[in-house]
């Protein structure tokens, strides 16, 4: 078992009060942050040799730490020995700090005593951080045990709700949740046929904490991908549950993660996973479910180039473009996913032909006419920029064939690409969109000639080096020679 300490106060219901544990965790984190700020003041006092204030502040910090320890003990039933020992270490370091501060305050050796004093502050800070980490872990364990008390659905939902709430408070909290076994408990819930009513909520909780490398590693370790694939392939689950499962896959495979790790299990399950996700896109009634499923597919195409072969076999271009015609991809976020999939698939020549056969060029040209100025929120504007960029990239790749390049030109693709290059507002001053559009223009004209292209546009956007055209369009002070 991963956890050696089990609070004795846990009985047949989820703790004495679910709110008490969540409030206790919030309280510990808030007070720890406040003490952290006080530590910064202590270091500042040492740097400025403000010994009188350092003495007073040391007393305040020590009292604050003692107060936090007492409050933690009120919420942690029968604390384990290592936790009690860490409390003693912290209080011992507090006493050593007080002695050093008093010694410096009473002597005239302030400058020579700075290094030992700073070292003592570091020792106290490290031991205090360790204490806070242990306290949060023990409190989270109580929530984990609540997840294991599956007889009462109401209390189980309260525990899951706590996980979601805590998971939204940052990466460190997600790390503690995963370390204490939340991932395994949540997947155990998903695998239980008697808990179908809470499966969607459990999947949402998993998605919430799948934002750090440790979460994704744990997901693989507990057989999460296999479980998700089974849920996605079971149409009896209902659209909401399957949509939440797709959301977990999308979150776990997101290229936005800072330290993105390859998922070994993804290769083993890729065929089945993509098949179920494409099927979910096809059958989805909810636009949100379509968004989640398409996002998962898009992320997988970024992670593994073999995904394009599988998607081609599954007739993904046909399914996705049909979904677009059925108005499933109406939001800019859904269009972002569709554009990503088409752009990534368009790397392969066999996929290019299929995208063209399914009138993918028309969809991509429509995406090219999205206007960032028509959106208000920063996330929507950023998504619109990505749609423009990926549509231009997809068109560049499709233009390797002369017939397709001619089709793009005849469909008035060139004037729109020129406008996106010339008019900074039309691309929200995005350099990424500009580069993609310049590349598309150059590819189309290199394949089917520059007929119909304004001579000035040809001279400034197509004929020069790419960097020179870029500088012209961004109106820098550098001149094209």
């Amino acid at each position: 078992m991963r956890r050696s300490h089990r609070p004795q106060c846990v009985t047949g219901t989820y703790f004495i009060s679910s709110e008490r544990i969540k409030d206790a965790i919030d309280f510990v984190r808030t007070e720890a942050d406040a003490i952290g700020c006080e530590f910064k003041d202590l270091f500042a006092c040492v740097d400025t040799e403000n010994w009188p204030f350092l003495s007073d502040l040391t007393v305040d910090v020590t009292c604050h730490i003692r107060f936090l320890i007492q409050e933690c003990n009120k919420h942690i039933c029968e604390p384990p020995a290592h936790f009690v020992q860490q409390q003693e270490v912290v209080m011992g370091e507090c006493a050593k700090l007080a002695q050093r501060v008093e010694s410096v305050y009473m002597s005239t050796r302030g400058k020579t005593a700075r290094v030992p004093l700073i070292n003592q502050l570091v020792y106290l800070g490290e031991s205090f951080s360790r204490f806070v980490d242990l306290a949060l872990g023990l409190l989270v364990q109580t929530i984990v045990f609540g997840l294991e008390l599956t007889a009462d659905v109401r209390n189980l939902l309260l525990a899951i709700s706590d996980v979601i709430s805590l998971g939204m408070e940052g990466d460190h909290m997600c790390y503690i949740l995963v370390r204490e076994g939340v991932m395994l408990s949540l997947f155990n819930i998903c695998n239980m046929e008697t808990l179908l009513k809470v499966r969607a909520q459990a999947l949402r909780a998993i998605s919430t904490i799948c934002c750090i490398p440790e979460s994704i590693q744990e997901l693989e370790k507990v057989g999460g991908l296999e479980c998700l694939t089974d849920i996605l392939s079971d149409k009896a689950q209902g659209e909401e549950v399957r949509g939440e499962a797709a959301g977990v896959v999308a979150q776990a495979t997101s290229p936005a993660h800072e330290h993105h790790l390859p998922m070994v299990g993804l290769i083993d399950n890729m065929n089945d996973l993509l098949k179920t996700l494409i099927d979910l896109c096809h059958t989805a009634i909810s636009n949100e479910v379509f968004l989640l499923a398409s996002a998962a597919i898009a992320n997988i195409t970024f992670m593994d180039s073999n995904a394009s072969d599988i998607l081609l076999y599954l007739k993904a271009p046909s399914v996705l473009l049909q979904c677009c015609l059925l108005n499933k991809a109406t939001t800019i976020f859904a269009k972002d996913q569709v554009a990503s999939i088409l752009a990534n698939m368009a790397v392969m020549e066999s996929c290019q032909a299929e995208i063209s056969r399914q009138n993918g060029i028309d969809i991509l040209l429509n995406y090219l006419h999205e206007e960032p100025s028509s959106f208000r929120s920063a996330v929507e504007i950023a998504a619109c920029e990505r749609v423009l960029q990926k549509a231009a990239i997809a068109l560049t790749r499709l233009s390797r064939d002369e017939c397709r390049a001619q089709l793009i030109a005849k469909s008035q693709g060139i004037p729109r690409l020129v406008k996106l290059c010339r008019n900074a507002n039309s691309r929200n001053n995005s350099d990424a969109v500009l580069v993609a559009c310049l590349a598309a223009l150059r590819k189309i004209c290199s394949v089917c000639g520059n007929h119909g292209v304004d001579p000035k546009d040809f001279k400034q956007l197509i004929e020069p080096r790419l960097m020179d055209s870029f500088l012209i369009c961004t109106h820098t002070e550098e001149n094209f020679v």
Side-chain angles (χ1 to χ4, degrees):
M1 293 293 291
R2 342 172 30 95
R3 301 178 295 280
S4 58
H5 171 66
R6 185 181 187 91
Q8 297 300 312
C9 55
V10 177
T11 59
T13 58
Y14 171 44
F15 205 165
I16 298 171
S17 166
S18 171
E19 293 182 0
R20 274 185 55 190
I21 283 301
K22 176 63 170 60
D23 289 345
I25 291 173
D26 291 340
F27 175 81
V28 171
R29 296 179 72 230
T30 300
E31 294 301 311
D33 288 342
I35 292 171
C37 292
E38 292 171 357
F39 265 98
K40 291 180 182 178
D41 292 338
L42 286 172
F43 278 106
C45 286
V46 175
D47 287 339
T48 59
E49 299 183 9
N50 188 347
W51 308 127
F53 186 65
L54 176 64
S55 180
D56 294 339
L57 186 57
T58 299
V59 174
D60 292 342
V61 172
T62 300
C63 291
H64 200 168
I65 290 174
R66 184 181 292 109
F67 165 73
L68 180 56
I69 290 174
Q70 292 170 348
E71 290 299 310
C72 286
N73 287 332
K74 292 179 182 178
H75 294 281
I76 298 172
C77 303
E78 298 186 15
H82 69 275
F83 182 63
V84 175
Q85 183 181 8
Q86 189 62 30
Q87 294 180 37
E88 295 170 353
V89 170
V90 172
M91 294 313 301
E93 296 296 339
C94 283
K96 291 178 184 178
L97 177 65
Q99 290 174 356
R100 287 203 174 275
V101 170
E102 182 67 18
S103 175
V104 171
Y105 182 59
M106 298 300 292
S107 71
T108 57
R109 299 183 300 104
K111 289 186 178 180
T112 59
R114 283 180 63 180
V115 173
L117 190 56
I118 290 173
N119 288 340
Q120 185 56 44
L121 279 171
V122 172
Y123 297 149
L124 175 57
E126 290 175 348
S127 62
F128 175 71
S129 296
R130 175 62 178 157
F131 163 76
V132 171
D133 188 70
L134 289 173
L136 290 173
L138 290 170
L139 290 169
V140 166
Q141 280 186 22
T142 307
I143 296 177
V144 175
F145 295 133
L147 295 173
E148 295 173 353
L149 301 172
T150 57
D152 190 328
V153 172
R154 178 179 173 277
N155 286 318
L156 186 58
L157 284 170
L158 286 174
I160 294 173
S161 178
D162 281 347
V163 172
I164 294 173
S165 180
L166 290 170
M168 296 175 69
E169 292 182 8
D171 289 355
H172 182 63
M173 203 66 236
C174 287
Y175 169 76
I176 294 175
L177 288 165
V178 172
R179 185 189 68 194
E180 300 304 330
V182 165
M183 186 73 74
L184 177 60
S185 296
L186 288 170
F187 270 111
N188 285 340
I189 291 170
C190 291
N191 283 320
M192 294 181 69
E193 294 298 324
T194 56
L195 294 175
L196 296 178
K197 291 182 179 179
V198 300
R199 186 171 285 175
Q201 200 70 357
L203 288 166
R204 179 160 295 190
I206 294 170
S207 178
T208 304
I209 63 176
C210 267
C211 56
I212 57 174
E214 292 81 2
S215 299
I216 298 167
Q217 289 172 343
E218 187 70 6
L219 183 147
E220 283 207 273
K221 183 179 177 182
V222 302
L225 282 172
E226 292 81 358
C227 176
L228 293 169
T229 303
D230 289 342
I231 292 172
L232 284 164
S233 61
D234 185 2
K235 295 183 180 180
Q237 291 288 325
E239 188 172 297
E240 180 189 7
V241 174
R242 295 172 71 208
E244 293 293 351
V248 176
V249 177
Q251 180 70 357
T253 57
S254 173
H257 295 319
E258 274 188 39
H259 307 288
H260 200 276
L261 297 173
M263 299 178 71
V264 177
L266 186 66
I267 298 174
D268 297 332
N269 292 277
M270 189 182 297
N271 281 281
D272 292 337
L273 203 53
L274 287 174
K275 183 177 184 300
T276 57
L277 288 169
I278 282 292
D279 181 67
L280 184 57
C281 286
H282 177 65
T283 60
I285 297 173
S286 164
N287 287 4
E288 182 180 356
V289 171
F290 173 82
L291 170 61
L292 293 170
S294 60
I297 295 169
N299 292 347
I300 293 172
T301 63
F302 280 112
M303 293 182 70
D304 197 313
S305 58
N306 292 326
S308 293
D309 286 317
I310 300 170
L311 289 172
L312 180 61
Y313 175 77
L314 296 171
K315 297 181 169 44
S318 174
V319 173
L320 291 173
L321 295 171
Q322 186 64 30
C323 288
C324 292
L325 295 176
L326 294 173
N327 294 321
K328 292 185 181 181
T330 54
T331 68
I332 195 66
F333 304 110
K335 292 175 182 178
D336 181 16
Q337 308 311 322
V338 174
S340 296
I341 296 168
L342 295 179
N344 290 340
M345 290 188 69
V347 172
M348 296 176 55
E349 188 174 343
S350 55
C351 292
Q352 295 169 15
E354 180 62 18
I355 291 171
S356 180
R357 273 195 296 271
Q358 300 300 329
N359 295 320
I361 289 176
D362 291 341
I363 293 289
L364 291 167
L365 288 172
N366 285 335
Y367 285 178
L368 212 57
H369 283 80
E370 293 289 343
E371 293 283 353
S373 59
S374 63
F375 301 98
R376 293 186 178 181
S377 71
V379 289
E380 287 179 313
I381 293 171
C384 185
E385 290 177 19
R386 292 193 298 272
V387 169
L388 293 172
Q389 179 194 12
K390 291 166 185 174
I393 290 172
L395 291 171
T396 302
R397 292 168 176 170
L398 292 170
S399 296
R400 295 171 188 166
D401 176 82
E402 184 177 351
C403 291
R404 291 193 289 269
Q406 292 282 5
L407 177 60
I408 295 169
K410 290 178 181 178
S411 301
Q412 298 300 303
I414 291 178
R416 178 56 182 171
L417 289 168
V418 169
K419 182 179 179 181
L420 286 167
C421 293
R422 294 285 194 189
N423 188 336
N425 290 331
S426 66
R427 52 182 160 83
N428 195 41
N429 295 291
S430 169
D431 290 344
V433 175
L434 172 57
V435 171
C437 290
L438 284 171
L441 270 175
R442 288 159 177 258
K443 187 62 179 177
I444 294 168
C445 292
S446 69
V447 172
C448 61
N450 59 324
H451 304 294
V453 179
D454 187 281
K456 182 181 178 182
D457 293 331
F458 180 79
K459 185 176 181 180
Q460 294 186 343
L461 303 181
I462 298 169
E463 189 177 53
R465 294 179 306 157
L466 181 63
M467 179 55 71
D468 292 329
S469 295
F470 176 85
L471 293 174
I472 291 171
C473 293
T474 51
H475 302 290
T476 63
E477 294 181 0
E478 299 179 54
N479 294 317
F480 163 66
V481 179

